[in-house]
Amino acid sequence: MNAFLCVLSLALLGGAPTGLSREGRLLLEAPPERLDARVGEWVTYQMDGGPQQGFLRLAVVAEQKDAQGRDAVWVELEFGQHSELKAPLAQFLLLVARDTGLRAEGVSRLFVTQGFEKLQEVDTNALPFFLGAPERGTSRPVRPPPTAWLPAGQGSTVNRGTPTRLMTRAGTVLAEPLEVRHRQLVLKRYWVSREIPILRLAKLEFPPIRYTLEVRDHGLDARPRMVPPAPGDKKITLEPSGNLPPHFQLQPQSGTGSDHEENRP
């Protein structure tokens, strides 16, 4: 399930290479453009179709101004194999600007952990590598894993259906169906509903790989479940590739200068 968690977390934040159309950029073609969730809102999803069943939980646990003076909220994101996320495999704590929604450009602080390790903050300079955001001083985004993105463009369509009642694990909700096709292949189907907090996502299907993500439960009583580290604790940084031993450094391929650019870390 680890590869899928990487893909999902990147897609939820909307990081993507430039040059892709909107149909190919995001997990959702119609994500909320603003994060209007109230403090205390939470939602859990069940993921089926992989080697093991998984669960995802999002919760808005506090609000404050970020370093840029934007109204922001603290969002907890957890992955695990228990429906109540009692022993999560991975946890993320993000400070997200309300005006951006859950997108990479809105995340100004990020804390991560896996298993029983302590929560650790990602250094500001390393955020672009975790979120797929543009590097400082450039317009070129850090490229996410190639499996995170399906090609879109000529032959791709997004079809919206009429809002209808949808039965989910959390009950019946009024949801709008959307279907993304590449020519005759259905890439994904999903249903969005204003009755579901935070992402407004009721259900998501990836027919080619028989994978589904469906809302399982939600509520308004979330409390912080993660303990941030002390201010002086070591942060997660990324060392320049030149500091790595020679056998760990990427070697440029022979050819044009563009080949060299493709292999830059």
Side-chain angles (χ1 to χ4, degrees):
M1 189 170 64
N2 290 342
F4 180 75
L5 297 187
C6 256
V7 170
L8 181 61
S9 59
L10 282 169
L12 287 175
L13 291 170
T18 57
L20 292 184
S21 67
R22 182 172 178 79
E23 288 82 4
R25 285 190 61 197
L26 302 175
L27 181 69
L28 303 179
E29 276 66 29
E33 295 183 356
R34 177 178 167 82
L35 188 55
D36 287 323
R38 293 174 293 170
V39 173
E41 288 188 0
W42 60 273
V43 59
T44 59
Y45 292 92
Q46 181 170 318
M47 299 179 287
D48 293 295
Q52 296 178 328
Q53 189 177 70
F55 300 90
L56 161 69
R57 179 181 185 270
L58 294 101
V60 176
V61 296
E63 58 186 343
Q64 69 174 68
K65 297 281 189 181
D66 67 11
Q68 300 178 40
R70 301 176 295 183
D71 292 332
V73 291
W74 286 101
V75 179
E76 292 184 343
L77 177 62
E78 300 177 271
F79 298 100
Q81 296 176 336
H82 188 279
S83 61
E84 296 182 11
L85 282 300
K86 292 185 175 180
L89 299 175
Q91 295 177 303
F92 303 84
L93 178 61
L94 312 93
L95 183 60
V96 185
R98 285 192 177 276
D99 286 341
T100 66
L102 267 169
R103 290 176 170 81
E105 59 266 29
V107 179
S108 57
R109 297 186 71 184
L110 171 66
F111 297 80
V112 301
T113 185
Q114 60 179 1
F116 294 101
E117 295 181 4
K118 289 178 57 179
L119 206 63
Q120 192 172 6
E121 185 168 8
V122 176
D123 187 83
T124 304
N125 293 327
L127 277 177
F129 294 88
F130 281 80
L131 304 176
E135 295 177 356
R136 288 174 176 266
T138 74
S139 59
R140 185 175 69 88
V142 176
R143 185 180 310 167
T147 53
W149 310 107
L150 293 172
Q154 186 176 2
S156 295
T157 58
V158 180
N159 301 316
R160 290 177 178 266
T162 303
T164 185
R165 303 301 294 180
L166 174 71
M167 176 66 74
T168 72
R169 296 177 183 276
T172 303
V173 298
L174 181 65
E176 178 185 11
L178 294 97
E179 183 178 81
V180 182
R181 287 176 173 266
H182 185 72
R183 297 186 175 90
Q184 299 303 313
L185 175 65
V186 177
L187 298 179
K188 53 193 170 184
R189 298 188 185 98
Y190 58 95
W191 292 258
V192 293
S193 172
R194 294 199 60 81
E195 298 177 37
I196 306 301
I198 308 178
L199 292 180
R200 309 301 184 197
L201 175 64
K203 186 177 181 180
L204 170 68
E205 294 179 347
F206 289 98
I209 58 174
R210 299 181 181 179
Y211 213 107
T212 63
L213 181 145
E214 183 177 337
V215 62
R216 180 183 176 93
D217 203 1
H218 55 87
L220 303 171
D221 57 349
R223 297 288 185 272
R225 291 161 49 138
M226 304 180 193
V227 180
D233 285 1
K234 181 181 174 69
K235 296 183 179 181
I236 298 175
T237 59
L238 293 176
E239 292 290 336
S241 60
N243 292 350
L244 295 173
H247 55 279
F248 281 120
Q249 294 186 26
L250 292 175
Q251 300 299 318
Q253 297 179 353
S254 60
T256 65
S258 60
D259 291 333
H260 176 73
E261 180 70 15
E262 285 294 313
N263 288 277
R264 287 181 58 184

